[in-house]
Amino acid sequence: MSATTSPIRTSTHASVRSSAGARSRRGLLYLTLVLLLLAFLAPLVWALSGSFKPRGDIFAYPPKLLPDPFTLHNYRALIEDQPFAQWFVMSTVVAVVATVVSVFVCALAGYGFAKFRFAGKRLLFGVMFSSLSIPFAVILVPLFVILVKTGLGSPWFALIVPWVAPAFGIFMMQQYIVQSVPDSVLEAARIDGASEFGIFRRIVLPLLRPSLGALAVWTFLQSYNSFLWPLVLVSDSSQYTLPLGLQTLFVSEQRQYDLVMAGAVLAVLPAVALFVLLRKQLLEGLSTGAVKG
């Protein structure tokens, strides 16, 4: 027998080791994803379970995942004894209006930055882009003072203002229009006599549908979950939004965790419904940006 190893056997061993290494990496990746999924779902599962438990059982030890006894008392108490419906309507209406206005304004501004030349365009775009690095807490007080001094401090209006023209949305639309809307299509429409707003409404907006869906989901969640701005702006409890209203239950003397958990579960429903409704546009917008970026 020869003491040397044949090239075929060496290649086979290397292939087996490579395949085993690939399986190990894939298994580690799946394990990491499962752990991350459990970490993200754990608070929601705990809130869902706690919303159907009596208050005394929420922090019972050892903890029980399934409610025993199962009760709907928390939901009835939240809806019948607290102005939950009022908070829900306030948050939903403000978020929907902010989303519609923001999507239109960002698309229009992004179209202007992407396809038109005008004096000071680079400077204006640079200032807008630089504002992405400014935390909202920095402009909180100046924005509040401006709205009060100009007589525009009404909660229904002021709660929408921060989301009307977010720099992130304008930048996102500008980038998508540059990559997805050919100049030749716009020039052909102008030659056919279409107005600039008509081109924007009939040609540009339909081409932006995936990115508009992604921006709509982002804006709705930002407005719907906003806590700091309503906390500074709203002083009348009849105009509280959902995060602000649920916070009053949490900081009360009784620490009504049962009602907070029931409210948190109900508060998630509009966001889930919006994601289900726009999931196709959201995924297309994100995947298109990733491929083209």
Side-chain angles (χ1 to χ4, degrees):
M1 295 180 60
S2 173
T4 58
T5 305
S6 70
I8 296 178
R9 183 174 298 177
T10 303
S11 175
T12 303
H13 288 171
S15 176
V16 170
R17 284 197 298 272
S18 176
S19 177
R23 284 199 298 271
S24 299
R25 288 193 294 272
R26 194 181 302 116
L28 184 61
L29 175 62
Y30 288 156
L31 178 62
T32 304
L33 292 177
V34 169
L35 292 177
L36 287 175
L37 178 64
L38 292 177
F40 282 116
L41 288 181
L44 181 60
V45 172
W46 189 58
L48 183 63
S49 173
S51 68
F52 294 110
K53 293 178 181 176
R55 183 179 303 176
D57 289 355
I58 293 177
F59 296 104
Y61 188 83
K64 292 184 293 187
L65 182 60
L66 297 179
D68 183 22
F70 182 92
T71 177
L72 295 175
H73 169 76
N74 300 334
Y75 290 93
R76 283 197 296 268
L78 179 68
I79 295 174
E80 295 175 0
D81 301 338
Q82 305 291 337
F84 179 80
Q86 191 175 305
W87 303 338
F88 186 85
V89 170
M90 187 75 177
S91 282
T92 305
V93 170
V94 167
V96 169
V97 174
T99 300
V100 173
V101 175
S102 174
V103 166
F104 178 79
V105 171
C106 289
L108 192 61
Y111 177 52
F113 279 121
K115 297 298 180 182
F116 289 90
R117 295 180 179 178
F118 53 88
K121 174 182 172 181
R122 289 190 175 183
L123 176 62
L124 189 59
F125 188 79
V127 172
M128 184 274 297
F129 186 77
S130 301
S131 67
L132 286 170
S133 62
I134 302 175
F136 181 70
V138 175
I139 64 171
L140 185 69
V141 174
L143 181 61
F144 177 76
V145 172
I146 291 173
L147 290 174
V148 171
K149 293 292 185 183
T150 55
L152 300 176
S154 167
W156 282 103
F157 177 82
L159 286 172
I160 299 172
V161 167
W163 316 112
V164 167
F168 169 76
I170 297 174
F171 176 71
M172 178 180 174
M173 289 296 108
Q174 188 266 350
Q175 290 293 300
Y176 196 88
I177 291 172
V178 167
Q179 297 172 354
S180 304
V181 181
D183 292 337
S184 57
V185 176
L186 305 180
E187 290 300 327
R190 292 188 182 107
I191 292 173
D192 290 340
S195 64
E196 291 299 334
F197 187 75
I199 294 173
F200 171 73
R201 184 170 62 86
R202 296 176 182 174
I203 298 176
V204 177
L205 278 183
L207 292 174
L208 297 180
R209 189 173 299 170
S211 60
L212 292 178
L215 180 60
V217 173
W218 180 84
T219 307
F220 182 88
L221 293 179
Q222 291 293 317
S223 175
Y224 190 73
N225 295 328
S226 176
F227 175 76
L228 184 58
W229 180 235
L231 180 65
V232 172
L233 186 68
V234 179
S235 57
D236 188 349
S237 60
S238 65
Q239 296 173 330
Y240 278 1
T241 57
L242 258 179
L244 211 54
L246 293 179
Q247 183 259 356
T248 62
L249 301 178
F250 183 75
V251 299
S252 65
E253 294 180 358
Q254 297 180 344
R255 296 274 183 177
Q256 303 176 81
Y257 292 103
D258 49 345
L259 303 189
V260 172
M261 290 188 176
V265 171
L266 294 177
V268 169
L269 297 181
V272 173
L274 182 66
F275 178 79
V276 172
L277 186 66
L278 297 178
R279 67 184 187 283
K280 182 179 178 181
Q281 288 79 7
L282 177 63
L283 294 176
E284 286 182 2
L286 295 178
S287 61
T288 302
V291 172
K292 293 184 176 180

